[in-house]
Amino acid sequence: MKERLYLFDTTLRDGAQTNGVDFTLADKVAIAQMLDAFGLDYIEGGYPGANPTDTQLFSDPRKLDARFTAFGMTRRPGRSLSNDPGIAALLEAEADAICFVAKAWDYHVRVALETTPEENLASIRDSVRAAKARGREVLVDCEHFFDGYKASADYALACARAAYEEGARWVVLCDTNGGTLPHEVEAIVGEVAKKIPGDHIGIHAHNDTEQAVANSLAAVRAGARQIQGTINGLGERCGNANLVSIIPTLKLKPEFAEKFEIGISDAKLKNLAHLSHTLDEMLNRAPDRHAPYVGVSAFATKAGIHASAIVKEPATYEHVDPETVGNRRRLLVSDQSGRSNLLAELERIGIAVEKEDPRLVRLLDEVKEREALGYAYEAADASFELLARRTLGAVPDYFNVERFDVNVEQRYNAVGKRVTVSMAVVKVKVGSETLISAAEGDGPVHALDLALRKDLGKYQQYIEGLDLTDYRVRILNAGTEAVTRVLIESQDETGERWTTVGVSSNIIDASFQALMDSIVYKLVRSGAPA
Ligand SMILES: [Zn+2]
């Protein structure tokens, strides 16, 4: 019999504290449904009463399998329950569970709360009792628990016990400022577990020493049975514990997998990379290429000698099978790459070629030459695929851009404000048809992209769902002159993402190459006829 570990997601509450993240009501509803479908046990939606979005979120039942949780403060010191609007908002919220945040550090009780240690304990007990009486499952986040424990273990424990003894389902130990180290977490949680059963203890870690994941696992080793965290480690400052790293570790590492089970099935785990990238997309952020388990580079290998070994025996170079988390192995084609890299990569993208095919040598030379000029094919998988298909003679000439013109104009607008406007005109030949499109954009590249994709005649239907999701520019010193490298990330209606590259001494020209590759790649992938 395995023990059950519970996962508590606070992306919508603590994660919403991230700099630059601002969830709308619709975002919150969509993300809650996505997290629910993934199999998380608790979804903390927000702080009803604190802002209109969260109040509205909790005004209707959300009908999730997960326990939808409202967050708020314990009863204010010196007030009665019935005279505390914060408590009223929490009790009225359409939520399955209520998570109270309570002070657990006597210093904070005196200085921040300006009350007595006894009144703080009474506030914890009263709040838990009131929420239970309303039929809610109750959690108590003990704020600054670890710092509080170091300063005054008795008082920190008294807060935790007050919550537990009053009937809170979970007493959550919070490393609020994120500075506690894993061995300290393990020792302190171990002490708490002597007073409160581990299956009532949760851990809430922040990432200020980049150990929020390690701290969460250390707490589990010491007896805690609920882990709080966020998708992609969202959260203020350095973020919260990243559930996207914790979940596969619990599922795939024997130390945890043999002892514990979680609510996420093996089949659901395969959606992990997709879940992580979808949230980034909603937040308009480029996914972290180096994110453990789910990043594009997480299972990427560069050197030629490793590549031939990986093809023979993948397990030798991978700590888990990338497919289990919905990722895949990537063998990078770069100037260090050998023939085995190239063959493996071609096989993966479905290009059949004989080992002794002379075109292979030509392709390898071409890649090396272009990389010397500044192209980066290991980052631009789609441009690599096009180069390979072209060298092997398999990319049709769908259309031809006969000329383009981009201009940038600065002028005063109708209200006398100085504005910069860019306009692009593109002349494209599709078969025997000549098409001219013009577009205005925020900048020259934006205008060029819009004009280019405005009318491709019979191919237009294939690129309707195409979107640019990221644009990166780097100035390189290749040879004697500085050149510009542009990497463009695109996405289509199916959620597939690809990256293309362009290099030139002119930034518009480099962007044009990358845009063209992106469009042609999409046409190839869609099976557009020649
Ligand atoms: Zn927090």
Side-chain angles (χ1 to χ4, degrees):
M1 269 301 276
K2 291 186 188 178
E3 245 186 290
R4 183 75 154 80
L5 276 182
Y6 294 85
L7 297 170
F8 182 105
D9 180 281
T10 181
T11 305
L12 299 177
R13 201 274 302 170
D14 230 1
Q17 302 298 318
T18 314
N19 230 333
V21 167
D22 195 10
F23 295 123
T24 62
L25 179 63
D27 289 339
K28 284 204 167 192
V29 172
I31 293 170
Q33 281 162 351
M34 188 168 85
L35 297 173
D36 190 43
F38 187 60
L40 291 157
D41 300 297
Y42 294 82
I43 297 168
E44 193 170 46
Y47 193 163
N51 61 67
T53 302
D54 287 359
T55 303
Q56 230 183 320
L57 180 68
F58 285 99
S59 64
D60 290 314
R62 293 293 157 199
K63 302 193 189 85
L64 304 172
D65 291 326
R67 269 157 271 184
F68 195 54
T69 307
F71 173 88
M73 308 249 272
T74 47
R75 170 180 72 69
R76 277 196 227 169
R79 287 212 186 187
S80 68
L81 278 171
S82 55
N83 198 17
D84 186 329
I87 293 281
L90 271 178
L91 296 180
E92 273 154 33
E94 290 281 359
D96 308 300
I98 293 177
C99 182
F100 289 106
V101 58
K103 303 261 181 240
W105 185 356
D106 55 356
Y107 169 76
H108 274 247
V109 171
R110 283 193 309 271
V111 175
L113 224 48
E114 294 180 352
T115 188
T116 62
E118 294 71 29
E119 171 62 2
N120 184 50
L121 292 174
S123 150
I124 294 174
R125 281 193 216 99
D126 290 350
S127 306
V128 173
R129 198 182 316 119
K132 280 194 63 103
R134 279 293 187 104
R136 303 291 196 269
E137 181 176 327
V138 184
L139 300 90
V140 174
D141 273 4
C142 295
E143 199 183 66
H144 292 290
F145 184 84
F146 294 92
D147 298 302
Y149 189 92
K150 287 183 208 166
S152 167
D154 286 347
Y155 189 70
L157 272 172
C159 294
R161 288 183 66 154
Y164 173 65
E165 282 160 9
E166 202 59 51
R169 169 68 185 88
W170 294 102
V171 179
V172 183
L173 312 180
C174 302
D175 186 26
T176 308
N177 66 21
T180 311
L181 300 176
H183 63 278
E184 300 173 299
V185 169
E186 194 160 345
I188 293 173
V189 173
E191 288 304 313
V192 178
K194 291 177 186 164
K195 310 278 196 243
I196 295 172
D199 59 2
H200 288 267
I201 297 176
I203 177 74
H204 177 110
H206 278 263
N207 203 30
D208 297 70
T209 70
E210 208 169 22
Q211 301 190 82
V213 169
N215 282 343
S216 304
L217 298 173
V220 170
R221 284 166 51 94
R225 295 295 175 259
Q226 184 194 83
I227 301 175
Q228 299 201 343
T230 60
I231 303 301
N232 297 341
L234 239 54
E236 66 184 326
R237 305 189 311 274
C238 315
N240 284 58
N242 185 359
L243 289 176
V244 173
S245 297
I246 290 173
I247 290 167
T249 301
L250 295 175
K251 293 276 296 176
L252 302 173
K253 297 294 167 183
E255 175 180 354
F256 296 102
E258 285 164 8
K259 256 180 100 175
F260 302 108
E261 58 181 6
I262 58 176
I264 292 161
S265 64
D266 294 350
K268 289 281 165 68
L269 187 64
K270 288 194 164 73
N271 293 334
L272 185 71
H274 183 71
L275 173 80
S276 165
H277 298 158
T278 304
L279 183 69
D280 279 327
E281 233 162 70
M282 295 176 79
L283 295 172
N284 205 16
R285 303 177 144 205
D288 176 4
R289 304 181 70 86
H290 301 284
Y293 293 105
V294 297
V296 167
S297 300
F299 298 97
T301 305
K302 191 164 178 174
I305 84 168
H306 286 172
S308 54
I310 283 189
V311 175
K312 278 185 226 138
E313 189 43 84
T316 48
Y317 288 92
E318 289 164 354
H319 73 111
V320 297
D321 176 357
E323 310 271 327
T324 56
V325 293
N327 206 342
R328 68 173 172 81
R329 182 172 306 136
R330 284 174 176 83
L331 299 174
L332 302 177
V333 179
S334 76
D335 55 2
Q336 294 169 32
S337 73
R339 197 182 280 237
S340 47
N341 257 5
L342 197 59
L343 273 169
E345 188 58 16
L346 291 175
E347 192 190 313
R348 190 193 63 76
I349 56 187
I351 301 177
V353 52
E354 290 293 322
K355 231 178 168 163
E356 303 309 322
D357 192 322
R359 293 175 302 175
L360 218 50
V361 179
R362 226 191 309 146
L363 177 58
L364 202 53
D365 288 346
E366 181 91 22
V367 168
K368 285 179 180 170
E369 261 168 51
R370 290 175 145 256
E371 293 213 323
L373 293 173
Y375 288 83
Y377 287 108
E378 60 187 56
D381 47 352
S383 284
F384 168 74
E385 181 171 337
L386 283 182
L387 183 68
R389 288 186 186 278
R390 280 185 178 124
T391 308
L392 302 169
V395 179
D397 283 323
Y398 297 108
F399 62 95
N400 185 27
V401 177
E402 296 200 319
R403 57 180 291 181
F404 70 79
D405 178 58
V406 182
N407 73 56
V408 179
E409 185 193 347
Q410 197 174 81
R411 56 176 159 80
Y412 290 95
N413 68 10
V415 294
K417 199 175 154 211
R418 191 187 278 277
V419 290
T420 306
V421 201
S422 296
M423 196 175 93
V425 180
V426 177
K427 186 174 174 188
V428 189
K429 193 137 195 222
V430 185
S432 58
E433 209 181 353
T434 299
L435 303 159
I436 298 178
S437 306
E440 273 191 345
D442 301 331
V445 175
H446 184 220
L448 180 61
D449 172 43
L450 293 179
L452 207 48
R453 291 195 286 134
K454 203 164 190 176
D455 189 4
L456 272 189
K458 60 176 175 176
Y459 295 122
Q460 191 61 24
Q461 53 171 310
Y462 297 99
I463 61 166
E464 292 290 0
L466 180 66
D467 250 328
L468 301 193
T469 48
D470 196 23
Y471 176 84
R472 277 167 284 160
V473 178
R474 249 185 94 178
I475 309 295
L476 309 164
N477 279 310
T480 52
E481 54 175 341
V483 295
T484 304
R485 175 204 289 158
V486 166
L487 285 169
I488 285 178
E489 191 184 74
S490 312
Q491 178 192 316
D492 68 8
E493 63 282 0
T494 66
E496 191 196 334
R497 285 166 175 270
W498 62 90
T499 303
T500 52
V501 61
V503 172
S504 168
S505 54
N506 180 310
I507 186 172
I508 304 288
D509 183 44
S511 306
F512 173 74
Q513 293 172 22
L515 288 170
M516 285 290 288
D517 266 10
S518 176
I519 294 170
V520 173
Y521 178 80
K522 172 66 181 158
L523 293 176
V524 170
R525 296 292 288 192
S526 308

